[in-house]
Amino acid sequence: MRSVFFWRLVLTLAVAMLVAAVVMFGGYAFLSRDVYTQIKLDELQSSAEAAGRLTAEYLANNLDEATFGRLAQTAMSHENGAALAVNSEGRVLFYADALLQIDENLAESYFRAHLGQLLAGGSIRLDRLTAPDGRAMLAAGTPIVNERGEVLGAVLLLRSFKVITGTTTRMSVIFLWMAVFAIPLGMIGTAWRVKTVTEPINRLSEAAH
């Protein structure tokens, strides 16, 4: 009878631990993706602002075209992204693409509404922008404004959402493996702890009989 009680208690605790681990894993997977997405958007927004300052220098004739092109290639290009810089009339000043695989005219046409929003003085921060081929992207954009508040142009940066899914998937796998090892160890530790607690009670019960 005592043995049945002991193993029922161990089984109940084991099930409770398993349910807690599943809930924690689900919450972790959801929150980690959301938090990591915001971190990457913050980074992308900072890059867009830096690219905007660089483009402003070019529009102010402080950089020649060749120098601007070299610096923009370094500052805006990304192996999983695309960058588009335009002047106030919407003319493309710089375009780099390792993500969309389309030419600058098609890119300007596809993102015309977003560029229009930027040229109107707004900013862009999107965690799910759809690419022409249906893929999800991160997007951050900033207008280029002079000291008088006039909009001189805009910069739009894009990143593949695979950057998020790839990283969070690896983190989730690591967490899952930790749970796979932790749960059995926790069950063993729980069983040992329950046994040490119930053993004196069992001995007293046997003595009473």
Side-chain angles (χ1 to χ4, degrees):
M1 182 69 179
R2 292 190 298 272
S3 178
V4 171
F5 170 76
F6 170 74
W7 288 111
R8 281 181 178 176
L9 183 58
V10 171
L11 180 61
T12 300
L13 291 173
V15 171
M17 290 176 61
L18 182 60
V19 171
V22 170
V23 172
M24 288 177 59
F25 179 75
Y28 168 81
F30 175 78
L31 291 176
S32 64
R33 176 170 295 189
D34 185 59
V35 170
Y36 191 65
T37 297
Q38 295 308 311
I39 291 174
K40 298 307 288 185
L41 273 175
D42 287 341
E43 293 178 358
L44 193 60
Q45 189 71 50
S46 296
S47 297
E49 291 170 358
R53 290 191 291 271
L54 174 63
T55 307
E57 290 296 314
Y58 172 65
L59 291 171
N61 296 317
N62 294 327
L63 295 172
D64 59 51
E65 186 173 354
T67 302
F68 170 68
R70 287 195 302 270
L71 294 175
Q73 190 69 32
T74 301
M76 301 189 212
S77 298
H78 192 277
E79 61 181 357
N80 291 308
L84 188 62
V86 299
N87 64 9
S88 59
E89 299 174 351
R91 183 174 66 83
V92 176
L93 303 175
F94 176 80
Y95 177 64
D97 175 28
L99 173 64
L100 305 173
Q101 304 301 319
I102 57 178
D103 61 37
E104 66 179 54
N105 292 325
L106 185 56
E108 188 276 331
S109 175
Y110 188 82
F111 297 109
R112 185 168 296 160
H114 301 90
L115 293 172
Q117 179 180 335
L118 294 171
L119 293 175
S123 61
I124 287 177
R125 180 188 170 98
L126 300 172
D127 60 2
R128 282 298 179 96
L129 179 63
T130 304
D133 60 3
R135 288 179 295 174
M137 303 180 296
L138 302 178
T142 184
I144 301 168
V145 183
N146 64 14
E147 296 177 352
R148 296 188 297 275
E150 299 169 335
V151 177
L152 305 178
V155 171
L156 178 65
L157 300 185
L158 308 168
R159 293 289 185 273
S160 171
F161 199 77
K162 286 184 178 180
V163 173
I164 305 298
T165 56
T167 301
T168 54
T169 297
R170 287 193 296 271
M171 293 168 63
S172 297
V173 169
I174 292 172
F175 186 82
L176 179 60
W177 276 110
M178 291 173 61
V180 166
F181 285 104
I183 290 175
L185 290 175
M187 291 173 61
I188 294 171
T190 300
W192 176 81
R193 182 60 180 164
V194 170
K195 186 175 182 180
T196 59
V197 171
T198 58
E199 189 66 28
I201 299 174
N202 292 338
R203 284 200 296 266
L204 289 173
S205 179
E206 290 173 357
H209 287 80

